[in-house]
Amino acid sequence: MTARGRFITLEGVDGAGKSTHTDWIADKLRSLGHRVVTTREPGGTPLGETLRGLVLTEPMTLETETLLMFAARCEHVAQVIEPALAAGEWVVCDRYTDATYAYQGGGRQLGVERVAVLEQWMQPSLQPDLTLLFDVPLEIARARLADAREPDRFEREGAAFFERTRAAYHARVQAQPQRVRVVDSSRSIDEIRVQLENELRSLAAMQPA
Ligand code: ADP
Ligand code: TYD
């Protein structure tokens, strides 16, 4: 029987620097002998990518926004993440449910409880094995985003939204410190990768849950 793969998610506020490491993490895992799929949320399936386009650009209520994040996630888990894990592949996903807790629950002030209800309704069993939370202060994130393409609906939000989102991510660390590992992303890329390699090796050495 094929051993189940592991599920790794990357989180952080916009501009924290997580996308910079996605391919590197995948290559590192391959060098350790694992088959790897990289994917992202919202997105990862044809329907999910269509929903992504809407949610990043169209005005909508907070409830609609939250439901669309979960709708995209439902498809993603069913079509991509679960099948890959079952086939023994490791899945590296740029954002997952912690992002809904942080952005909708915290940034937009929906609250943890309402996000938790949807999480339990959708997929009670699929939690990441490891979540890497790329953490930076506001001024660093803003400076890193400055050269990027046209900002989306979330990137246009102000400092208070950013601070609430970051605080909600930290609450996820408090709630599940074993799973959610903080990466001080204000350091150099090389310094960050030393920590990432340690986290990945620890996960690879652990027995599956
Ligand atoms: P995110 O995916 O979290 O929004 P990115 O990975 O796209 O952020 O990074 C945003 C910008 O910051 C990019 O231009 C990237 O090159 C730069 N960057 C990322 N990490 C670092 C770092 N540790 N030091 C300096 N610049 C960085
Ligand atoms: P991301 O792919 O990180 O953006 P980028 O292409 O700029 O790197 O994420 C897109 C945006 O979606 C980001 O601002 C965070 C937001 N988001 C939520 O608000 N809730 C969610 O559940 C998810 C998955 C993303």
Side-chain angles (χ1 to χ4, degrees):
M1 210 179 82
T2 314
R4 186 174 165 85
R6 306 286 177 88
F7 183 29
I8 300 172
T9 59
L10 277 52
E11 296 285 357
V13 296
D14 293 280
K18 71 195 154 41
S19 312
T20 300
H21 300 281
T22 311
D23 290 344
W24 183 88
I25 288 171
D27 287 344
K28 179 58 65 183
L29 291 171
R30 288 186 187 107
S31 78
L32 296 173
H34 303 293
R35 288 178 294 134
V36 182
V37 174
T38 59
T39 185
R40 69 170 179 181
E41 292 205 352
T45 65
L47 177 58
E49 291 293 328
T50 302
L51 294 175
R52 178 189 178 94
L54 295 173
V55 88
L56 294 188
T57 56
E58 296 295 321
M60 61 185 72
T61 69
L62 171 55
E63 286 73 16
T64 304
E65 179 181 293
T66 307
L67 289 167
L68 289 182
M69 294 297 181
F70 273 104
R73 185 163 301 132
C74 262
E75 287 300 304
H76 195 205
V77 169
Q79 291 188 29
V80 176
I81 301 175
E82 259 304 338
L85 294 172
E89 293 174 307
W90 286 45
V91 176
V92 178
C93 188
D94 197 331
R95 299 193 186 282
Y96 188 61
T97 310
D98 292 308
T100 318
Y101 279 99
Y103 280 79
Q104 282 67 49
R108 297 232 196 271
Q109 299 178 285
L110 182 68
V112 170
E113 296 75 17
R114 291 178 70 194
V115 179
V117 167
L118 290 175
E119 181 186 32
Q120 278 153 26
W121 182 80
M122 192 201 92
Q123 31 81 20
S125 61
L126 189 59
Q127 282 284 326
D129 296 292
L130 171 68
T131 296
L132 298 163
L133 173 57
F134 291 80
D135 187 50
V136 286
L138 171 61
E139 39 309 349
I140 294 185
R142 280 284 141 90
R144 288 182 184 172
L145 278 180
D147 301 334
R149 40 148 187 62
E150 185 69 16
D152 62 38
R153 278 178 67 233
F154 298 97
E155 292 161 348
R156 282 198 295 271
E157 291 288 340
F161 176 88
F162 172 96
E163 295 296 1
R164 287 195 300 270
T165 303
R166 188 180 183 208
Y169 269 131
H170 282 278
R172 302 299 289 158
V173 180
Q174 296 296 319
Q176 298 183 40
Q178 287 306 316
R179 173 177 70 83
V180 190
R181 316 293 297 175
V182 179
V183 177
D184 174 0
S185 193
S186 61
R187 295 174 296 171
S188 72
I189 289 174
D190 286 349
E191 285 174 301
I192 291 167
R193 285 180 179 170
V194 172
Q195 179 185 352
L196 295 181
E197 179 159 357
N198 286 334
E199 302 283 3
L200 296 176
R201 285 184 184 278
S202 302
L203 178 64
M206 268 179 349
Q207 293 300 316

